[in-house]
Amino acid sequence: MVTQLRISEAALLMGVSDDTMRRWVDAGRLSAQRDDAGRRVVDGAELARFAQDQYADRDPERSAGHDRRRSARNQFTGLVTRIASDPVMSQVELQCGPYRVVALISTEAVRDLGLEPGSLATALVKATNVSIETPGGVRG
């Protein structure tokens, strides 16, 4: 099953405005089709590849629209960009805006969830140690 994302959904996942996403499509950086309702949609697998290329060498702390003064949420929705599996375990990579999230889960879970590159998924993070930083450093 091919994941088709509306322009607004793709923009949210990439951490950009709808207008930026439309400009990327208009400039030919991404292709778009029309869905049954006539809305422009982007293929999830193509967006996953684009996201990897777009943010591969970028410093995520300086990405447009991302403010380092905020603590990250514990849920990261993004596109599955890569899955490496053996018979028991799988490494699943998500591109969540400019952030790459990697999870180790069972290969059975990958099958049960129907995960594949281009799928939409949410990483839920439970951590015992979380660090928070601000651009100005430590303040008293």
Side-chain angles (χ1 to χ4, degrees):
M1 181 172 140
V2 177
T3 301
Q4 297 288 315
L5 301 162
R6 292 188 317 227
I7 294 292
S8 60
E9 294 171 318
L12 179 64
L13 292 168
M14 293 294 295
V16 298
S17 70
D18 294 7
D19 288 338
T20 295
M21 186 61 60
R22 285 187 199 92
R23 280 192 295 273
W24 287 344
V25 168
D26 293 342
R29 294 179 66 190
L30 277 168
S31 60
Q33 299 78 37
R34 298 273 177 188
D35 67 6
D36 294 336
R39 297 174 298 212
R40 291 201 296 183
V41 293
V42 177
D43 176 77
E46 181 182 356
L47 185 62
R49 287 187 295 277
F50 179 79
Q52 281 184 305
D53 293 342
Q54 180 73 10
Y55 295 109
D57 298 321
R58 184 184 273 188
D59 177 0
E61 294 177 345
R62 290 185 288 165
S63 297
H66 294 278
D67 189 345
R68 285 180 40 200
R69 294 176 291 177
R70 284 188 296 224
S71 176
R73 302 275 190 232
N74 290 331
Q75 295 183 23
F76 301 92
T77 299
L79 289 167
V80 176
T81 56
R82 183 173 179 273
I83 300 172
S85 298
D86 69 25
V88 177
M89 294 300 293
S90 294
Q91 177 178 312
V92 178
E93 295 182 17
L94 298 174
Q95 192 70 42
C96 305
Y99 302 103
R100 179 177 161 254
V101 176
V102 180
L104 296 176
I105 64 174
S106 71
T107 298
E108 180 181 12
V110 169
R111 285 191 302 268
D112 290 349
L113 293 170
L115 296 178
E116 61 185 29
S119 298
L120 187 61
T122 299
L124 305 173
V125 180
K126 174 75 174 170
T128 57
N129 184 13
V130 177
S131 297
I132 300 172
E133 74 175 33
T134 63
V138 178
R139 295 188 182 154

